[in-house]
Amino acid sequence: MAHRLLQESNNEEATMPIVCETCLGPNPYVRMQKIPNGGACHISGRPYTVFRWRPGNDARYKKTIICQEVAKAKNVCQVCLFDLDYGLPVQVRDTALGIEKDEIPESAVGKEFQLNEQVKAGETDSAFGGGGRPSEMLERLARTTPYYKRNQARVCSFFVRGQCTRGAECPYRHEMPTSGPLSEQNIKDRYYGINDPVAAKLLSRYEEKGKLEAPADTEDHQAAPEHT
C-alpha cells in the first residue's frame, strides 16, 4: 500500500495550482501554502499536492480539492470546479458544446483505472479550452469578470443557533443560511456535469429568457463531496 501511494504521488509534483481568477482573489501577491501529498483528490482518490491560501482580508481560506490531472481533463478550477475559460459549470459548458456525458465507473478501482488510461493516452490535456469560436449559449452565459463574493466567509453556525458571543469580531457571516436546491450541491455531480443545481438554474434561465447575464450569487464553492 505504501509503495502504491508513493508511486501515485510522483505523478504530480505541482508548483502552482490550476485555479480561476475568482478563487485566486484580487491580490496578485497572495501567499500560498504548498503541501505535497497533502490530501486525496475528491474525484480520483489519489494523493496530490494541496495548495491553501486566503484570497482577501475578508475572505475565508480556500484550498484545492482535486488533483491537477483531473482538473486538466475537464479544464476546470481545482477549487470551485467551474470551467476556466467561461466561468460556468461543466454541465452548462458541455450542453452548449453538445458533448455527451462520459460513462462513469461506479467503483473507486474503476475510476482510478479510467484515469490511468487517460494519462497513458495523453488525454488529460483538456480539449475544452482555447480553440474555436464559442457557441451562442456560451457567449451569453459566460462570466468574463471575477466574482469575489464567492470567497466570503461561511455562515456562523453559532449565530444561526443564537449563541454567538463574538459580535463584530466573529470571522464568520452573521446571517441565516439559504435553503433550496442551491444548498444541496455535490462535488462529483459538479465535476461530471450531472444533477448540478447551479447548472440547472443557468440552463433554465437561458431557455426561458435568453438573457445576456449569469446568475449573481450561486455559492458554487460550497458543493459537498458525495458520501459513500
Side-chain angles (χ1 to χ4, degrees), residues 2 10 33 36 39-40 59 107 113 124 127 137 167 171 195 200 210:
N10 288 334
Q33 290 179 297
S107 67
F113 175 79
T124 53
M137 180 186 292
N195 304 321

mmCIF file of all heavy atoms in Angstrom, residues 2 10 33 36 39-40 59 107 113 124 127 137 167 171 195 200 210:
data_model
loop_
_atom_site.group_PDB
_atom_site.id
_atom_site.type_symbol
_atom_site.label_atom_id
_atom_site.label_comp_id
_atom_site.label_asym_id
_atom_site.label_seq_id
_atom_site.Cartn_x
_atom_site.Cartn_y
_atom_site.Cartn_z
ATOM 1 N N ALA A 2 1.931 1.254 0.835
ATOM 2 C CA ALA A 2 2.811 2.417 0.907
ATOM 3 C C ALA A 2 3.499 2.648 -0.436
ATOM 4 O O ALA A 2 3.644 3.791 -0.889
ATOM 5 C CB ALA A 2 3.846 2.220 2.016
ATOM 6 N N ASN A 10 4.069 10.495 -7.092
ATOM 7 C CA ASN A 10 5.068 11.003 -8.009
ATOM 8 C C ASN A 10 4.457 11.466 -9.331
ATOM 9 O O ASN A 10 5.125 12.087 -10.148
ATOM 10 C CB ASN A 10 6.132 9.924 -8.283
ATOM 11 C CG ASN A 10 7.022 9.700 -7.080
ATOM 12 O OD1 ASN A 10 7.187 10.592 -6.259
ATOM 13 N ND2 ASN A 10 7.579 8.514 -6.973
ATOM 14 N N GLN A 33 0.250 28.266 0.869
ATOM 15 C CA GLN A 33 0.873 27.109 1.498
ATOM 16 C C GLN A 33 0.862 25.958 0.495
ATOM 17 O O GLN A 33 -0.161 25.699 -0.140
ATOM 18 C CB GLN A 33 0.092 26.687 2.740
ATOM 19 C CG GLN A 33 0.179 27.635 3.902
ATOM 20 C CD GLN A 33 -0.654 27.143 5.072
ATOM 21 O OE1 GLN A 33 -1.873 27.022 4.977
ATOM 22 N NE2 GLN A 33 -0.004 26.854 6.173
ATOM 23 N N PRO A 36 2.836 18.996 -0.194
ATOM 24 C CA PRO A 36 2.976 17.808 -1.049
ATOM 25 C C PRO A 36 2.245 16.606 -0.446
ATOM 26 O O PRO A 36 2.345 16.345 0.758
ATOM 27 C CB PRO A 36 4.494 17.573 -1.088
ATOM 28 C CG PRO A 36 5.083 18.924 -0.760
ATOM 29 C CD PRO A 36 4.136 19.552 0.201
ATOM 30 N N GLY A 39 -3.376 15.653 0.544
ATOM 31 C CA GLY A 39 -4.764 15.206 0.568
ATOM 32 C C GLY A 39 -5.036 14.222 -0.543
ATOM 33 O O GLY A 39 -4.182 13.966 -1.400
ATOM 34 N N ALA A 40 -6.254 13.670 -0.525
ATOM 35 C CA ALA A 40 -6.692 12.752 -1.564
ATOM 36 C C ALA A 40 -7.687 13.481 -2.459
ATOM 37 O O ALA A 40 -8.602 14.141 -1.975
ATOM 38 C CB ALA A 40 -7.340 11.512 -0.960
ATOM 39 N N ALA A 59 -12.033 37.348 3.295
ATOM 40 C CA ALA A 59 -12.401 36.065 2.677
ATOM 41 C C ALA A 59 -11.985 34.911 3.573
ATOM 42 O O ALA A 59 -11.156 35.056 4.471
ATOM 43 C CB ALA A 59 -11.736 35.929 1.310
ATOM 44 N N SER A 107 -17.054 1.971 -9.176
ATOM 45 C CA SER A 107 -16.104 1.656 -8.119
ATOM 46 C C SER A 107 -14.904 2.584 -8.148
ATOM 47 O O SER A 107 -14.576 3.177 -9.185
ATOM 48 C CB SER A 107 -15.622 0.205 -8.251
ATOM 49 O OG SER A 107 -14.850 0.048 -9.437
ATOM 50 N N PHE A 113 -8.605 3.292 -12.689
ATOM 51 C CA PHE A 113 -8.168 2.678 -13.946
ATOM 52 C C PHE A 113 -8.465 3.590 -15.128
ATOM 53 O O PHE A 113 -7.630 3.757 -16.021
ATOM 54 C CB PHE A 113 -8.868 1.325 -14.141
ATOM 55 C CG PHE A 113 -8.567 0.674 -15.460
ATOM 56 C CD1 PHE A 113 -7.379 -0.003 -15.659
ATOM 57 C CD2 PHE A 113 -9.473 0.760 -16.516
ATOM 58 C CE1 PHE A 113 -7.091 -0.594 -16.884
ATOM 59 C CE2 PHE A 113 -9.198 0.180 -17.733
ATOM 60 C CZ PHE A 113 -8.006 -0.501 -17.925
ATOM 61 N N THR A 124 -5.408 13.725 -20.711
ATOM 62 C CA THR A 124 -5.723 14.605 -19.591
ATOM 63 C C THR A 124 -5.502 16.071 -19.937
ATOM 64 O O THR A 124 -5.920 16.939 -19.180
ATOM 65 C CB THR A 124 -4.859 14.250 -18.356
ATOM 66 O OG1 THR A 124 -3.489 14.243 -18.734
ATOM 67 C CG2 THR A 124 -5.242 12.907 -17.795
ATOM 68 N N ALA A 127 -9.425 19.146 -24.117
ATOM 69 C CA ALA A 127 -9.735 19.703 -25.431
ATOM 70 C C ALA A 127 -10.818 20.762 -25.331
ATOM 71 O O ALA A 127 -11.284 21.281 -26.330
ATOM 72 C CB ALA A 127 -10.196 18.578 -26.364
ATOM 73 N N MET A 137 -24.713 30.121 -26.793
ATOM 74 C CA MET A 137 -25.067 29.934 -25.383
ATOM 75 C C MET A 137 -23.898 30.291 -24.478
ATOM 76 O O MET A 137 -24.068 30.976 -23.461
ATOM 77 C CB MET A 137 -25.503 28.494 -25.116
ATOM 78 C CG MET A 137 -25.884 28.226 -23.671
ATOM 79 S SD MET A 137 -26.248 26.487 -23.323
ATOM 80 C CE MET A 137 -27.767 26.281 -24.243
ATOM 81 N N GLY A 167 -19.726 38.834 18.335
ATOM 82 C CA GLY A 167 -20.173 40.075 17.719
ATOM 83 C C GLY A 167 -19.425 40.416 16.447
ATOM 84 O O GLY A 167 -19.225 39.559 15.573
ATOM 85 N N PRO A 171 -15.248 36.007 12.750
ATOM 86 C CA PRO A 171 -14.764 35.958 11.363
ATOM 87 C C PRO A 171 -15.779 35.357 10.392
ATOM 88 O O PRO A 171 -15.535 35.327 9.177
ATOM 89 C CB PRO A 171 -13.515 35.077 11.469
ATOM 90 C CG PRO A 171 -13.801 34.171 12.618
ATOM 91 C CD PRO A 171 -14.597 34.992 13.602
ATOM 92 N N ASN A 195 -26.844 16.517 -12.623
ATOM 93 C CA ASN A 195 -27.655 16.906 -11.456
ATOM 94 C C ASN A 195 -27.074 18.100 -10.701
ATOM 95 O O ASN A 195 -27.119 18.149 -9.469
ATOM 96 C CB ASN A 195 -27.802 15.717 -10.488
ATOM 97 C CG ASN A 195 -28.388 14.497 -11.156
ATOM 98 O OD1 ASN A 195 -29.285 14.617 -11.980
ATOM 99 N ND2 ASN A 195 -27.883 13.323 -10.807
ATOM 100 N N ALA A 200 -28.543 23.799 -13.604
ATOM 101 C CA ALA A 200 -29.973 23.747 -13.921
ATOM 102 C C ALA A 200 -30.578 25.145 -13.908
ATOM 103 O O ALA A 200 -31.410 25.492 -14.762
ATOM 104 C CB ALA A 200 -30.698 22.842 -12.927
ATOM 105 N N GLY A 210 -33.255 33.839 -22.237
ATOM 106 C CA GLY A 210 -32.144 34.095 -23.144
ATOM 107 C C GLY A 210 -31.407 35.371 -22.823
ATOM 108 O O GLY A 210 -30.896 36.052 -23.703
#
